[in-house]
Amino acid sequence: MSVALGVVQMAMSDVLEENVARAIELVREAASRGATVVLLPELFEGYYWPQAQRERFFERAHPVDDHPFIGRFQALARELGVVLPLSFFERAGHAHYNSLVMIDATGEQLGVYRKSHIPDGPGYMEKYYFTPGDTGFKAFATRSGTLGAAICWDQWYPETARAMALQGAEVLLYPTSIGTEPEAAGPMDTSRMWRRVMLGHAVANACYLGAANRVGREVVEGSEQTFYGTSFICDFTGEILAEADRTEETVLVAPLNLDDARAFRAGMGFFRDRRPDLYGPLLTRDGKTRP
Amino acid sequence: MSVALGVVQMAMSDVLEENVARAIELVREAASRGATVVLLPELFEGYYWPQAQRERFFERAHPVDDHPFIGRFQALARELGVVLPLSFFERAGHAHYNSLVMIDATGEQLGVYRKSHIPDGPGYMEKYYFTPGDTGFKAFATRSGTLGAAICWDQWYPETARAMALQGAEVLLYPTSIGTEPEAAGPMDTSRMWRRVMLGHAVANACYLGAANRVGREVVEGSEQTFYGTSFICDFTGEILAEADRTEETVLVAPLNLDDARAFRAGMGFFRDRRPDLYGPLLTRDGKTRP
């Protein structure tokens, strides 16, 4: 099986139709360059509105089975024969989730993952909007390998990467919206540590990994952020295969050799030597007591 | 509290007395340069004998309370006022462990950690010698902060780093013996991925981290390895503070600001947003079934 990962770094307007059209165009470009899986950024349909807390932004949420654009990406996936892990704002009953639907190359929905780790702080006030996900971590068996997909803040958590890898994930995918922190957080550029923590996941799990971030300056209700891009694809030793800069819309494509990765993963023995009998403390908050 | 971490990169002979004398000399150098914690490499008392499988190497193991050199390092710790996380080959009844005793700056033993993850493969045939550790992961409250200490192969496991951090570790320490792979493993240099995975742990846990490796070519029973050094100290964002090259004996010293690290760790919210309720799969081998 020949697999290539496309990662789309994109600048958004705050008009859904514009962003969906642009995203479709960039997915087409990735596919034309050989990508069999194409990752778009987190919540690419508009500005990253969790910069602010406003009731009206809840209107952007829709159920996965009655959604303004998911069906169009299913048709696109089928047409191009590409897998699309697609970020969207989900309404489910009275709950709202930061979600991802895995669309196989047939156009079929394989399931929904709901973001498990929800940030909160200047510039990222997501706890106001999103209920912490209840799906658990997921690896999806697709036409382009077994793909683990999690969302933005999840990418800082070794637990997320490991849980996906244990289910057989060969590629770890992270749609993202991250940028320079607003003034309240002090001067901080997390781009280097953001990349480092994911390279660590790639190595620890001997998995390929891709992260798709947005670029551009966005002002939401007087709050301002500049998203820092630096989207990338790395191999199963954490070596960078393709990377974008901090400002440009970019389509990255890299071929993935899943057989090589599997042989290397087995030979290194990381999974052979795990000690689940000693990992009980990971299910606690203080290393001791079960919550 | 002013804390500085010393990391000793060292070349070994296969004569215990020579290595102990040299290690003491290098600890003195680190202390004279301000280190309040000094980390020596794994099993610094001799060649890395698990390159080969020979019954007679078990003779190198000793009980922690009746040991050829631990007492001398306790006296040294007391004299210099430095904390010494000390690697040694432990015999406990009929079992043998790859262990570390944490010696506080008072000279007192704070406890023993036994390496949990035991490698096996060309050049690292540790499963012949070492029973997988039964102590669980540890963070020791010392005169120089709460120190997590694990051993070599443990350093590839996010579970180890997280378990230490959950117990309050502010610094993650890894004595190491790692080098170019012998011919049987094919041409492989793991030094970049070795560093990457640990930088990932530093970021994910917002902890300082130090790794002390050996250098030099060692031939054991016809098997040969060249240990690649590249010992380093990084900060709680994974930024390198000090690093050694691949060949030279080196003493690295870096000041650690544990208050800054604590403030940053709290502000980032990584520990706030963990989801222990979703981490059950980490206690399995396939992401599903409890073993």
Side-chain angles (χ1 to χ4, degrees):
Chain A
M1 180 175 57
S2 181
V3 174
L5 174 60
V7 160
V8 171
Q9 176 165 301
M10 187 175 153
M12 283 67 169
S13 76
D14 205 28
V15 180
L16 181 140
E17 267 309 322
E18 290 174 6
N19 295 315
V20 168
R22 182 68 180 143
I24 288 173
E25 200 175 329
L26 293 168
V27 169
R28 286 189 186 281
E29 182 186 332
S32 76
R33 288 169 49 200
T36 62
V37 183
V38 185
L39 181 68
L40 289 159
E42 184 188 22
L43 300 170
F44 61 91
E45 68 184 83
Y47 276 174
Y48 177 75
W49 77 85
Q51 273 203 74
Q53 300 185 328
R54 294 291 185 278
E55 221 174 74
R56 65 186 166 80
F57 289 131
F58 283 102
E59 293 166 15
R60 300 186 175 201
H62 300 277
V64 66
D65 53 9
D66 178 20
H67 195 273
F69 62 74
I70 289 176
R72 289 156 70 185
F73 284 92
Q74 289 182 264
L76 184 69
R78 189 166 47 242
E79 178 200 332
L80 301 175
V82 297
V83 180
L84 295 176
L86 202 74
S87 167
F88 71 106
F89 185 15
E90 181 185 13
R91 192 177 78 231
H94 293 316
H96 300 81
Y97 298 101
N98 188 332
S99 295
L100 178 146
V101 56
M102 184 62 78
I103 302 172
D104 207 354
T106 56
E108 183 194 1
Q109 289 188 13
L110 298 181
V112 168
Y113 167 71
R114 292 170 174 163
K115 186 172 180 175
S116 305
H117 301 97
I118 307 297
D120 203 55
Y124 306 91
M125 296 189 284
E126 294 197 11
K127 288 196 196 296
Y128 176 72
Y129 296 103
F130 307 126
T131 295
D134 58 356
T135 56
F137 307 106
K138 293 207 172 184
F140 300 90
T142 77
R143 297 292 170 109
S144 279
T146 302
L147 308 180
I151 303 169
C152 201
W153 195 235
D154 287 326
Q155 68 208 167
W156 298 92
Y157 290 82
E159 293 91 344
T160 301
R162 185 65 108 197
M164 296 192 291
L166 285 170
Q167 294 172 66
E170 301 171 280
V171 187
L172 306 176
L173 299 172
Y174 297 99
T176 302
S177 290
I178 193 167
T180 54
E181 309 295 317
E183 210 178 325
M188 175 148 68
D189 182 341
T190 57
S191 63
R192 290 157 66 93
M193 55 183 288
W194 176 75
R195 178 172 291 191
R196 266 181 211 127
V197 77
M198 284 185 277
L199 298 187
H201 302 331
V203 172
N205 298 291
C207 286
Y208 285 99
L209 187 151
N213 192 14
R214 63 174 70 202
V215 287
R217 175 172 169 273
E218 298 181 9
V219 179
V220 178
E221 302 288 331
S223 173
E224 173 185 333
Q225 273 222 63
T226 302
F227 294 89
Y228 57 56
T230 67
S231 304
F232 68 94
I233 302 171
C234 73
D235 76 7
F236 47 90
T237 72
E239 208 69 47
I240 297 287
L241 299 177
E243 59 187 323
D245 71 11
R246 296 173 67 97
T247 56
E248 297 300 311
E249 285 201 327
T250 315
V251 176
L252 305 173
V253 179
L256 312 185
N257 190 324
L258 302 183
D259 294 335
D260 279 2
R262 175 179 298 197
F264 181 83
R265 192 181 302 118
M268 285 300 289
F270 294 154
F271 288 87
R272 176 194 64 199
D273 297 331
R274 290 181 75 248
R275 297 288 309 275
D277 57 316
L278 298 183
Y279 298 159
L282 301 178
L283 272 54
T284 74
R285 295 206 177 274
D286 62 1
K288 297 183 197 100
T289 323
R290 294 290 173 94
Chain B
M1 182 175 57
S2 180
V3 173
L5 174 61
V7 160
V8 171
Q9 176 163 301
M10 185 176 154
M12 283 68 169
S13 76
D14 205 27
V15 180
L16 181 140
E17 267 308 322
E18 289 175 7
N19 294 315
V20 168
R22 182 69 180 140
I24 288 173
E25 201 175 329
L26 294 168
V27 169
R28 287 188 185 282
E29 181 184 333
S32 76
R33 288 169 51 200
T36 62
V37 183
V38 185
L39 181 68
L40 290 159
E42 184 188 21
L43 300 169
F44 62 90
E45 67 184 82
Y47 276 174
Y48 177 74
W49 76 86
Q51 275 204 71
Q53 300 184 326
R54 294 291 185 279
E55 220 175 75
R56 65 185 166 80
F57 289 131
F58 283 101
E59 292 166 15
R60 300 188 175 198
H62 299 276
V64 66
D65 53 9
D66 178 20
H67 194 273
F69 62 74
I70 289 175
R72 289 156 70 186
F73 284 92
Q74 290 182 260
L76 183 70
R78 190 167 44 242
E79 178 200 331
L80 301 174
V82 298
V83 179
L84 296 176
L86 202 75
S87 166
F88 72 106
F89 185 14
E90 181 184 14
R91 192 176 79 230
H94 292 318
H96 300 80
Y97 297 102
N98 188 332
S99 296
L100 178 145
V101 56
M102 184 62 77
I103 302 171
D104 206 353
T106 55
E108 184 194 359
Q109 289 188 13
L110 297 181
V112 167
Y113 167 71
R114 292 169 173 163
K115 186 172 179 173
S116 304
H117 302 96
I118 307 297
D120 204 57
Y124 306 91
M125 296 189 285
E126 294 197 12
K127 288 196 195 296
Y128 175 71
Y129 295 103
F130 307 126
T131 295
D134 57 356
T135 55
F137 307 106
K138 293 206 173 185
F140 300 90
T142 76
R143 297 292 171 107
S144 279
T146 301
L147 308 181
I151 303 170
C152 202
W153 196 236
D154 288 325
Q155 69 209 163
W156 298 92
Y157 290 82
E159 293 91 341
T160 302
R162 185 66 106 197
M164 296 191 292
L166 286 170
Q167 295 171 64
E170 302 172 279
V171 187
L172 306 177
L173 299 172
Y174 297 99
T176 301
S177 289
I178 193 167
T180 56
E181 309 296 314
E183 211 178 321
M188 176 147 67
D189 182 341
T190 58
S191 63
R192 290 157 65 94
M193 56 184 286
W194 175 75
R195 178 172 292 191
R196 267 180 209 128
V197 78
M198 284 184 278
L199 298 186
H201 303 331
V203 173
N205 298 289
C207 286
Y208 286 100
L209 186 150
N213 192 14
R214 62 175 70 202
V215 286
R217 177 172 168 272
E218 298 182 10
V219 179
V220 178
E221 302 287 331
S223 174
E224 173 186 333
Q225 272 222 63
T226 302
F227 294 88
Y228 57 55
T230 66
S231 304
F232 67 94
I233 301 170
C234 72
D235 75 8
F236 48 90
T237 73
E239 208 68 47
I240 297 287
L241 299 178
E243 59 185 323
D245 70 13
R246 295 174 66 96
T247 56
E248 297 300 312
E249 285 200 327
T250 314
V251 175
L252 306 173
V253 179
L256 312 185
N257 190 325
L258 302 184
D259 294 334
D260 279 2
R262 175 179 299 197
F264 181 82
R265 192 182 303 118
M268 285 298 289
F270 294 155
F271 287 88
R272 176 194 63 199
D273 297 332
R274 290 181 75 248
R275 296 289 308 274
D277 57 315
L278 297 182
Y279 298 159
L282 302 177
L283 273 52
T284 73
R285 294 206 177 276
D286 62 1
K288 298 183 196 99
T289 324
R290 293 289 172 94

